[in-house]
Amino acid sequence: MNEIYTEWGRFCLRYRQVTETSEFSSAPVDLPQFDGATEFRMAANFSGGKLMIGTLYFVPYYEIDPLPITFHCDKAIASLREGYCLLVPVAVDTDWSEAVWPKSMAELDGYIANTTGYPRLVEDWIMRRRRELNKLLMVVLVKDNICYGYLLGSPRDGVFTDTRVISVFFDRVEEFSFENRMLIELELSVQHLQTLIRHARQLQPSSGYVKEDQRLRYALDELASALGKGVSRSRLT
């Protein structure tokens, strides 16, 4: 599956006429429960400049105002913007290759219509949501638990087929959840912590549960980040 996602990443860059290169590996994915094409609230950002590497969170509808909560959770993702995502499953036996990857709204609309059997699904969804200012709109196709994203522009003069589509790849896709954080001050050896982080990454222990393994990776990232900040502060004093 990584080979397909690598081709998808290259396709995205070629379509946007970007000459930069990047490493493409399928993002860790933790999808909410859904059956057929389904709308979700989302919070997303894009990093890497022209590479537009996407981070996507599905936001539960009971979270009235998710972004202030997000700010308190992790300042590293404070650039998240709210919006709506249409999640569309692609059947395993459906062709999904560069030969059929949509490059325009007409092609995206046609592909989803053929996949779902609902000709006006995307058009009706976009025209209903386009009036909400400063809200991102994305269509994400899911096949074999891998996500392929399309960021949508606004319909020009209200013409649906003139809506701009930008294909994007992700490095993180998951449900957003509030987590209490605490500040812990420790005096530890930098060398010991660096060794711990390095060996934990190399061994890549697996618990057999996707969420647990993801939390371990994020914990190691947070520990490495905190270590780097601590070393920088100590050099300044």
Side-chain angles (χ1 to χ4, degrees):
M1 295 304 166
N2 279 340
E3 293 181 4
I4 297 176
Y5 201 71
T6 296
E7 289 302 314
W8 169 258
R10 292 171 180 165
F11 165 81
C12 293
L13 297 186
R14 284 197 303 271
Y15 175 65
R16 297 200 303 270
Q17 299 181 337
V18 176
T19 57
E20 298 177 46
T21 58
S22 178
E23 294 289 332
F24 303 105
S25 59
S26 53
V29 172
D30 182 16
L31 295 174
Q33 293 292 325
F34 72 106
D35 183 17
T38 308
E39 179 191 79
F40 288 92
R41 288 174 68 199
M42 69 170 190
N45 68 7
F46 301 92
S47 59
K50 294 181 180 179
L51 294 177
M52 288 188 66
I53 303 172
T55 298
L56 176 63
Y57 292 93
F58 297 102
V59 180
Y61 276 90
Y62 57 76
E63 294 287 4
I64 298 175
D65 194 6
L67 291 190
I69 295 176
T70 305
F71 292 153
H72 287 92
C73 283
D74 193 341
K75 292 182 179 179
I77 56 175
S79 60
L80 284 170
R81 287 181 57 193
E82 281 187 270
Y84 297 94
C85 170
L86 185 65
L87 208 57
V88 182
V90 177
V92 175
D93 58 351
T94 302
D95 184 19
W96 182 249
S97 64
E98 186 167 358
V100 300
W101 287 339
K103 304 180 185 67
S104 66
M105 175 49 69
E107 292 181 4
L108 180 62
D109 180 46
Y111 186 88
I112 292 177
N114 291 333
T115 299
T116 63
Y118 295 98
R120 294 180 58 88
L121 174 67
V122 177
E123 179 177 0
D124 290 345
W125 178 67
I126 291 176
M127 301 308 287
R128 184 175 72 253
R129 286 299 183 188
R130 69 184 176 89
R131 295 181 179 86
E132 299 193 40
L133 299 178
N134 300 318
K135 300 288 187 180
L136 295 179
L137 289 181
M138 289 193 73
V139 172
V140 175
L141 296 109
V142 184
K143 185 176 184 184
D144 295 321
N145 207 45
I146 298 179
C147 293
Y148 305 84
Y150 283 91
L151 179 64
L152 308 182
S154 298
R156 298 173 184 173
D157 300 322
V159 180
F160 163 71
T161 53
D162 288 341
T163 304
R164 187 185 180 197
V165 298
I166 304 173
S167 53
V168 295
F169 52 95
F170 299 106
D171 69 347
R172 187 172 176 180
V173 179
E174 65 181 13
E175 283 193 277
F176 173 79
S177 61
F178 177 77
E179 294 182 355
N180 293 318
R181 293 188 173 233
M182 63 179 67
L183 178 64
I184 300 177
E185 295 187 5
L186 301 173
E187 292 187 5
L188 301 174
S189 164
V190 171
Q191 289 77 13
H192 291 170
L193 279 177
Q194 289 174 335
T195 300
L196 174 64
I197 294 170
R198 182 172 61 254
H199 282 279
R201 292 190 193 282
Q202 290 173 348
L203 292 173
Q204 296 182 343
S206 174
S207 66
Y209 296 94
V210 174
K211 285 189 176 181
E212 288 297 318
D213 294 343
Q214 286 180 348
R215 286 170 182 158
L216 175 59
R217 287 194 295 270
Y218 298 156
L220 289 171
D221 290 343
E222 291 175 350
L223 182 58
S225 176
L227 177 61
K229 291 176 182 178
V231 171
S232 297
R233 286 195 297 268
S234 64
R235 286 173 179 170
L236 294 175
T237 56

